[in-house]
Amino acid sequence: MVVEEQDTCRRSGTRDFLAGALRTREHVFARIREVFERYRFEPLQASAFERLETLTGKYGDEGDKLIFKILRCGEHEATGEADLALRYDMTVPLTRVVANHGSQLPTPYKRYARGPVWRADRPGKGRFREFAVC
């Protein structure tokens, strides 16, 4: 879902949402949440980043090129290597959550998640590097 308004600013595939556009987005997201919860889906908020090795290989070679990598910090900062990456979608974070917390989750596990995801590509017209998914 993309909410476009005149007061939305764009920078290199990202956007800033001023008050009017943000209110519209939050209203739409609230309605989506109401529908999910009406059907007894539970909310899930997973981390915005994952270990790089967890994300690579899940989207194919082309998909791996679109992963935003985060450089190591601390003692490994000088190497310039990445060990974390921003999430590409909500599937891999869900898989990690189920693997780590499966015994604490109800069966069947009906969940919903909403949040930003990132893709490191050169977006064409009408496409963005950062966007929300549900």
Side-chain angles (χ1 to χ4, degrees):
M1 173 200 69
V2 176
V3 177
E4 296 289 337
E5 286 195 8
Q6 291 179 347
D7 59 348
T8 301
C9 304
R10 293 184 207 160
R11 262 180 353 275
S12 302
T14 62
R15 299 170 288 177
D16 297 316
F17 294 97
L18 302 180
L22 185 56
R23 285 186 185 103
T24 300
R25 285 173 60 88
E26 292 304 319
H27 174 76
V28 171
F29 291 144
R31 294 299 308 259
I32 291 169
R33 183 177 57 249
E34 289 171 13
V35 172
F36 278 124
E37 291 185 359
R38 181 181 316 139
Y39 292 95
R40 302 196 194 291
F41 283 75
E42 295 183 346
L44 171 66
Q45 181 174 337
S47 174
F49 58 88
E50 297 285 341
R51 292 182 184 270
L52 182 58
E53 69 233 22
T54 302
L55 292 175
T56 53
K58 307 303 186 276
Y59 307 106
D61 291 338
E62 288 302 310
D64 286 352
K65 294 176 187 173
L66 300 178
I67 295 173
F68 264 111
K69 296 174 183 156
I70 302 173
L71 295 180
R72 290 181 180 222
C73 44
E75 65 185 77
H76 302 288
E77 187 173 9
T79 67
E81 294 178 35
D83 61 345
L84 299 173
L86 294 173
R87 66 181 173 218
Y88 183 88
D89 67 10
M90 297 294 196
T91 307
V92 172
L94 169 64
T95 304
R96 181 188 47 75
V97 166
V98 170
N100 292 339
H101 306 285
S103 64
Q104 300 167 18
L105 301 174
T107 303
Y109 182 45
K110 293 173 57 172
R111 66 91 181 146
Y112 69 92
R114 177 192 67 86
V117 296
W118 296 266
R119 300 208 178 143
D121 64 349
R122 291 190 176 162
K125 185 176 181 175
R127 296 182 58 101
F128 301 95
R129 289 180 174 161
E130 177 185 6
F131 52 96
V133 298
C134 293

